[in-house]
Amino acid sequence: MVEHDFRYSLLNPQHTLTEVRALAPGRYQVTGNGGSIQANDILLVTLKGSKDLSMRLSVDKVRHLINPRGQWVAVAHGPAFGELAIHEWQVNCNACETQLKFEFAVDAKLGTKAQKPAAAARIAELGWKTEGDKHFCRKCQEIAA
């Protein structure tokens, strides 16, 4: 098992994705070039419409194409979204007023009630701490410890 990074931040014309298409919630068809993709490999792909969010897809099967050379089509599984929505929020550290602008993904079919838990999970991924309605950056967490 190998992890292949196809996020936007690593643009490389010999190692790119052509398309990521949802076949069903949690199942994806991925078309790309390069990378020697094999079954059970992990693909890191940027979420459409996002600047820095990505998701991990696990390759179930892959078919390498003869023409064009180096191209492949894979079927993979990953996060199941009915309808993906990407939101951008910002919070301030209650101790030092440092501002965090961040993106998070949520299933749009779950409505607005799902946004706050998804935002809280993303804040935690970024190393910030949430206590009720207060937020603390990494630096202020270290000072308090």
Side-chain angles (χ1 to χ4, degrees):
M1 178 175 83
V2 177
E3 190 170 278
H4 303 273
D5 197 339
F6 287 101
R7 293 176 291 186
Y8 291 149
S9 60
L10 300 171
L11 293 175
N12 179 350
Q14 289 78 37
H15 190 79
T16 59
L17 291 183
T18 307
E19 176 185 44
V20 177
R21 185 169 53 129
L23 300 173
R27 287 201 49 85
Y28 301 89
Q29 177 178 304
V30 183
T31 305
N33 292 302
S36 300
I37 307 302
Q38 302 298 319
N40 298 318
D41 283 358
I42 301 294
L43 307 177
L44 288 172
V45 300
T46 302
L47 292 176
K48 184 177 182 179
S50 171
K51 297 174 194 144
D52 62 356
L53 291 176
S54 61
M55 68 177 168
R56 296 170 60 89
L57 302 177
S58 180
V59 176
D60 295 326
K61 59 183 177 179
V62 64
R63 185 180 55 165
H64 295 274
L65 306 177
I66 296 171
N67 195 11
R69 185 178 170 168
Q71 191 171 52
W72 47 267
V73 177
V75 175
H77 65 274
F81 292 106
E83 183 181 331
L84 180 66
I86 296 174
H87 298 278
E88 188 172 314
W89 284 7
Q90 67 184 30
V91 294
N92 293 321
C93 177
N94 287 80
C96 70
E97 293 300 316
T98 298
Q99 187 176 76
L100 172 67
K101 288 185 178 182
F102 64 99
E103 292 180 319
F104 65 96
V106 67
D107 192 333
K109 291 182 179 181
L110 298 176
T112 55
K113 67 181 183 286
Q115 290 180 8
K116 192 169 183 178
R122 180 67 176 146
I123 289 170
E125 284 177 22
L126 296 171
W128 282 48
K129 185 176 182 182
T130 303
E131 292 178 2
D133 288 337
K134 295 183 178 182
H135 303 94
F136 299 97
C137 68
R138 289 181 184 188
K139 186 174 73 174
C140 292
Q141 290 175 54
E142 290 172 6
I143 293 170

